Amino acid sequence: MQRKHWISAFATTAGLAIGLLATTAFAQTTVRIAWYSDGNEGEVVSDLLKRFEAQNQDIKVVLDQVPYKAITENLPVQLASGQGPDIARVVDLGGVARYALDMRPYLKDASYWEKNFGPFLPWMRPEGDSSAITGFMTQLTVTGPFVNKTLFEQAGIAMPGAKATWEEWGKAVKAVAEKVQVPFPLAMDRSGHRFFSVAVSEGAKVFDAKGEPAVIDDGFKRAAKLVYDWHNDGVMKKELWGSVSGTAYRGANDEFKNAQVVMYQSGSWQISQFDKTVGDAFDWVAVPSPCGPGGCSGMPGGAGLVAIKTTKHPEAVAKVMDYLASEPVLSEFYARSLFVPGHLGIAAKGLDYKNASPQAKAALKVFSDQVAQLSPVAYRLQGYVNNRVIFNAVISRLGQAISGETTLDEAYKRIESDVAQQIAERKK
């Protein structure tokens, strides 16, 4: 009996110990990342995070892959209510900045972040903060046009040169479209950010001498009139911008990949997608940003991966971010995603985009070269904490003018009042 009792007690104790070990083994911290993709970057980061989990078995990373619209429209509402993920990939860097976690106390080496992400850190800081490290750029993007070169060749029309104006490109793509019977001579993302890639080149200054928004000036009006006239004379088609309203985004990826668009004003983030979806169906090329009185500038931008301050696990969040931002991991991410690096060290060394087609490599070079052409106004607007207010007001009111709901002059007045009112509300 005594022996049986001892065995029973041992079994119970052993069972408790095994149970305790099992509990300890599975006492993982969960870090949730809200992530959207333009191309294959979701697959790439998912693969990289599996390696992180293998090396850090106490942390489980859940990658919630969501549509772009969920990031731009739903996420801000979640964050304002104190909800949301631990980390998010966002484009409205200034708008999300107030919800961002300063990771500086938790990072392995803050100086590494300052050295390699320095110029971009202010884009992700709350207003008035000059030291927080809240995230890094998953890519540096540059706006610019993609052109269906095959359509130009079929039409027997020469493509405009490197310093051609927006007006010259408008005439050329309309001539091509008429000759080869395609529906869209010029398509442009229905996005305030993309509109300003035209406006800055047309001479828009965006800010006054005190640094306050002064959106409507002669350069802005030139760009707005250009886009407005393009919609009225057939260079741009109302069914693209007119298919949505308000501040809603509308791209033309599908139309371009189906060879229905001669020229598509979008940006470098599309390279991976077009490399995959267009393939060798036709020759597509990136071309330098068209010019205007203000220069030949696109808009810089990109998506930042930002830590969220409501997280209950700041140390684990910082560990995940340190891993993803490390040079070898980030180099692989940029190379496999076909992104322009947003990391100074990697950019200086250069990347071997070994999986890219010749077309994609050529496009990456065009966009990388365009960085030197970016206007200080473009950088200033991209770094402005309330830039999303400006972008949304412009696209909403300009869209109304294009659809015939209002005049351009009335749109200008409404843009000014929208910007002033919404910035005042944000500051309450």
Side-chain angles (χ1 to χ4, degrees):
M1 285 292 294
Q2 284 182 337
R3 178 177 170 80
K4 282 182 181 177
H5 178 75
W6 177 81
I7 291 171
S8 175
F10 175 80
T12 303
T13 305
L16 286 170
I18 290 166
L20 186 61
L21 285 169
T23 304
T24 304
F26 291 98
Q28 290 179 309
T29 297
T30 299
V31 172
R32 299 197 79 94
I33 303 177
W35 184 278
Y36 85 92
S37 294
D38 289 308
N40 71 331
E41 65 267 35
E43 320 167 10
V44 176
V45 78
S46 182
D47 183 33
L48 296 171
L49 287 169
K50 283 176 189 168
R51 293 183 217 165
F52 171 84
E53 288 181 323
Q55 298 163 19
N56 300 273
Q57 295 188 13
D58 57 328
I59 300 175
K60 178 169 180 57
V61 184
V62 178
L63 190 73
D64 295 315
Q65 299 209 49
V66 299
Y68 177 74
K69 188 175 180 181
I71 292 292
T72 57
E73 296 180 17
N74 303 345
L75 181 65
V77 177
Q78 284 184 306
L79 296 177
S81 67
Q83 313 273 310
D86 300 289
I87 301 169
R89 186 178 190 227
V90 298
V91 290
D92 181 11
L93 304 173
V96 171
R98 75 189 74 184
Y99 307 113
L101 169 73
D102 182 5
M103 297 184 292
R104 187 181 284 275
Y106 310 105
L107 294 171
K108 190 167 54 181
D109 180 8
S111 65
Y112 166 84
W113 287 69
E114 290 168 336
K115 179 182 175 183
N116 291 294
F117 303 112
F120 317 115
L121 294 177
W123 293 2
M124 292 172 270
R125 284 177 181 147
E127 195 168 9
D129 190 312
S130 59
S131 65
I133 299 175
T134 63
F136 67 93
M137 299 305 288
T138 55
Q139 87 266 49
L140 180 65
T141 62
V142 184
T143 61
F146 293 93
V147 174
N148 186 322
K149 187 181 175 187
T150 298
L151 294 179
F152 268 92
E153 290 168 350
Q154 288 174 349
I157 294 171
M159 287 202 310
K163 294 291 183 180
T165 65
W166 276 108
E167 289 87 346
E168 288 167 337
W169 270 106
K171 288 175 186 172
V173 296
K174 188 179 182 188
V176 170
E178 287 173 350
K179 191 86 177 279
V180 297
Q181 295 293 293
V182 296
F184 304 105
L186 170 63
M188 183 188 302
D189 293 332
R190 190 182 188 275
S191 151
H193 183 266
R194 241 66 83 230
F195 168 79
F196 273 100
S197 64
V198 180
V200 170
S201 291
E202 291 299 316
K205 300 297 183 192
V206 191
F207 302 98
D208 63 20
K210 295 178 182 177
E212 295 298 321
V215 178
I216 308 301
D217 60 11
D218 289 344
F220 180 93
K221 288 180 179 179
R222 271 193 297 272
K225 183 75 163 56
L226 204 53
V227 173
Y228 179 84
D229 287 346
W230 280 337
H231 277 93
N232 286 324
D233 65 17
V235 174
M236 292 179 73
K237 295 300 175 75
K238 291 184 180 180
E239 51 259 49
L240 289 182
W241 277 33
S243 65
V244 291
S245 60
T247 61
Y249 171 84
R250 170 68 155 91
N253 306 53
D254 289 341
E255 290 80 4
F256 184 77
K257 75 183 184 188
N258 290 323
Q260 296 178 304
V261 178
V262 182
M263 181 182 195
Y264 178 27
Q265 173 66 2
S266 193
S268 57
W269 57 92
Q270 302 281 21
I271 294 172
S272 171
Q273 182 180 158
F274 291 155
D275 198 28
K276 187 175 180 179
T277 59
V278 175
D280 59 1
F282 57 84
D283 286 335
W284 57 274
V285 293
V287 298
S289 284
C291 302
C296 313
S297 180
M299 277 290 294
L305 196 63
V306 177
I308 305 301
K309 67 182 177 185
T310 50
T311 181
K312 294 176 181 173
H313 312 290
E315 294 90 351
V317 164
K319 199 167 187 180
V320 172
M321 294 286 272
D322 261 332
Y323 167 80
L324 290 174
S326 64
E327 190 166 317
V329 173
L330 199 50
S331 292
E332 182 178 342
F333 175 79
Y334 290 144
R336 289 173 62 186
S337 302
L338 308 187
F339 284 157
V340 176
H343 178 291
L344 300 185
I346 296 170
K349 290 175 185 173
L351 273 177
D352 177 15
Y353 296 99
K354 58 185 177 184
N355 296 323
S357 69
Q359 288 184 134
K361 285 183 179 178
L364 281 159
K365 183 175 188 326
V366 170
F367 281 111
S368 297
D369 290 348
Q370 285 299 109
V371 174
Q373 301 295 322
L374 295 173
S375 161
V377 175
Y379 275 112
R380 193 174 186 186
L381 176 56
Q382 179 60 22
Y384 177 53
V385 70
N386 291 314
N387 63 14
R388 183 65 48 175
V389 169
I390 296 174
F391 293 153
N392 284 348
V394 167
I395 209 65
S396 174
R397 300 308 186 181
L398 185 55
Q400 288 176 336
I402 287 166
S403 63
E405 295 173 43
T406 187
T407 65
L408 267 181
D409 285 340
E410 186 61 30
Y412 298 153
K413 291 175 188 172
R414 290 182 178 180
I415 288 167
E416 287 183 319
S417 67
D418 286 352
V419 169
Q421 180 186 342
Q422 289 172 33
I423 290 176
E425 285 174 2
R426 280 191 170 196
K427 288 182 175 178
K428 281 181 182 175

